[in-house]
Amino acid sequence: MQNLNIDSIKKRSFDAIVIGSGISGGWSAKELTGKGLKTLLLERGPNVEHIKDYPTTNMNPWEFKHGGQITKEMRDANPVASRCYAFNETSAHFFVKDAEHPYIQEKPFDWIRGYQVGGKSLMWARGTQRWSQYDFDGPARDGFAVEWPITYAELAPWYSYVEIFAGISGNKDGLAQLPDGEFLPPHEQSCVEKHFTDVMAKKYNGARPIIIGRCAHLTQPQPIHLQQGRGKCQHRNICERGCPFGGYFSSNSSTIPWARQTGKLTLQPDSVVHSIIFDEKKNKATGVRVVDANTKQMTEYYAKIIFVNAATINTNLILLNSKSTRFPNGLGNDNGLLGKYIAFHNFRTTMSAEYEGMLDSTTAGSRPNGSYIPRFRNVFKQETDFLRGYAAGFSASRMTYNDTSGIGEDLKTSLSNRKFGNWRVGSHMMGETIPKESNYVALDDKQTDAWGVPLLKVSVAYDDNDEKMIKDFHEQLTEMYTAAGFTNIRTHDNPNKAPGLDIHEMGGVRMGKDPKTSLLNKWNQLHACKNVFVTDGACMTSNSTQNPSLTFMAITARAANNAVEELKKRNL
Ligand SMILES: Cc1cc2nc3c(=O)[nH]c(=O)nc-3n(C[C@H](O)[C@H](O)[C@H](O)COP(=O)(O)OP(=O)(O)OC[C@H]3O[C@@H](n4cnc5c(N)ncnc54)[C@H](O)[C@@H]3O)c2cc1C
């Protein structure tokens, strides 16, 4: 009997455990297995195997019961998830159903989640901009949160490392606030986007550059991508269903199969991590408690190091729920700051307008990307009445319509002959929010979910700084649009729109130099429990205006590399 028990413990013992198989967890698994560690990748949701488990990827609109649209029934059943632009009849199977995974909104917060192997890497929009030193300088320069313990220069080689493997398309634009990366050929701007770029270059003397967005699409696959079994992006623009070509980066098409090839990976779906086990005698974590998603049975798994990559809010939840005599308020939470200083991106407002020129041109085909207005406010010095700044998307395409005025044969002819209208242009704002102690997540002390895990309370809101930023965005973009000759300029803002739909939530387990004011050191180790690493958005000290996932990847690769070095030196 005793031998059986030893065998069972042996089977459940690994060098490393990674919690969560999304964008950051996929990278943890790839790096740790690649460096020879026997790694258990735990995922709470079901398996999604590349190509095989993309059920809608080759379907046409008429093959869906409702043409691919969201029905009222779906909307009523999923009031939060259905607010996400990418949620519809073609992609709903990758989004968490609201009723199955409740949470408590102390303040309204639209928490968009993807619980499956691959996490949100299946549905993401793939915008991948590096952060710059101006972003890492933010808290220290502007006096909020705490100082970052790492610099852009330290992260730059890791950006290169992940960009080369993931495949990022873009232009070398030479901008201080948006460093260049290792790019595949860029997508093209439409002629009106180019027109806007040119007018802005002259009007602002180069201070407001407009560029083609950088994105995780294989515009020209390199040998490293072909080795992953991935091919060129086909511009189908139905990415959120999963791409059978591996044309965009996802954990399912890229990092997980790569990790699997090493022979060192055990991928275990349907495994809800309940908490991390802390051993007081050893003064370190020894493993995790896992609830089987179907049977609800709990099992322990053991490892020398643990990477927590459950996506910001769930990572906070797991750590808060990892209570022991040594850590009664959650693992590593000596200073009581765990779960606090959550920040997000201010995506509340958009602009639209028309352009009556260039009517001899139109856009051809589809493009999985748009143009991008890098941050131009407060970059080099403080110049407005709000802190930090915003970036924005910019895209232009021709409006189309059908003339429905006739009857009979005339009507039939005009219905089958689409006509082009003016160019429609639009921008969405992506503002940096300031991490604050009052923006937090915490555990509910009474209610639990179906797996016995306490429900999470979210208390996150916009503030006055965000409102000022929105006002400035409207003013500046109106000035810019007017200068480009755009007409019918409109601002669209809904002050009642909750935070969350940016899906860029960050913080709660922030990095920092001082254990009194931060949870993680510069290598993403919990100050108070060095063999636990947090490398998803929870680790972010502040949050820039740029899309964050590329930074999560670079930070993860850097931390995993260091963890293995430390393990070799027997420091963990
Ligand atoms: C529609 C959409 C558009 C987006 N666009 C962009 C964009 O353009 N650019 C950008 O940078 N980002 C974008 N994002 C955000 C991006 O997807 C996330 O930043 C990224 O996926 C975060 O990576 P992650 O590893 O932290 O989390 P995820 O990719 O969400 O992975 C977390 C994984 O952990 C699992 N998990 C959670 N809890 C547990 C538990 N207790 N036990 C076991 N497993 C658990 C989850 O099931 C999930 O699989 C977008 C997201 C969406 C949905």
Side-chain angles (χ1 to χ4, degrees), residues 19-26 42-45 84-86 95 112-121 123-128 240 251 271-274 309-312 314-315 317-318 502-504 536-537 547-550 552:
I19 306 171
S21 63
I23 288 188
S24 63
L42 291 167
E43 167 54 51
R44 70 171 301 148
C84 175
Y85 72 92
F95 286 81
I112 306 297
R113 294 159 289 170
Y115 290 170
Q116 62 248 326
V117 168
K120 297 191 291 278
S121 79
M123 314 95 88
W124 71 316
R126 308 156 313 276
T128 39
E240 63 279 359
S251 306
S271 300
V272 182
V273 173
H274 171 277
N309 295 111
T312 299
N314 274 315
T315 286
L317 169 61
I318 292 167
D502 50 297
I503 324 175
H504 292 171
D536 61 14
N547 306 64
S549 305
L550 184 71
F552 303 165

Side-chain angles (χ1 to χ4, degrees), residues 230-279:
R230 298 171 57 199
K232 192 170 173 169
C233 168
Q234 305 291 307
H235 288 202
R236 301 187 326 148
N237 270 9
I238 45 176
C239 314
E240 63 279 359
R241 304 182 194 181
C243 178
F245 304 95
Y248 73 89
F249 171 84
S250 69
S251 306
N252 311 62
S253 66
S254 178
T255 45
I256 294 177
W258 196 265
R260 196 179 273 132
Q261 269 180 27
T262 62
K264 298 277 179 187
L265 182 74
T266 303
L267 169 63
Q268 194 172 300
D270 298 312
S271 300
V272 182
V273 173
H274 171 277
S275 50
I276 296 169
I277 305 162
F278 182 76
D279 185 314

Side-chain angles (χ1 to χ4, degrees), residues 307-327:
F307 269 67
V308 196
N309 295 111
T312 299
I313 293 183
N314 274 315
T315 286
N316 276 280
L317 169 61
I318 292 167
L319 292 176
L320 284 164
N321 200 34
S322 301
K323 293 179 180 169
S324 57
T325 315
R326 164 71 182 84
F327 294 112

Side-chain angles (χ1 to χ4, degrees), residues 47-62:
N47 197 13
V48 172
E49 226 170 273
H50 181 49
I51 306 177
K52 180 174 150 278
D53 293 322
Y54 304 152
T56 58
T57 189
N58 286 323
M59 284 171 68
N60 290 300
W62 56 89

Side-chain angles (χ1 to χ4, degrees), residues 464-479:
D464 191 43
N465 200 63
D466 301 319
E467 299 296 341
K468 287 179 179 161
M469 201 182 270
I470 288 169
K471 184 169 171 280
D472 189 72
F473 170 79
H474 290 156
E475 286 167 5
Q476 298 307 312
L477 268 282
T478 300
E479 179 182 293

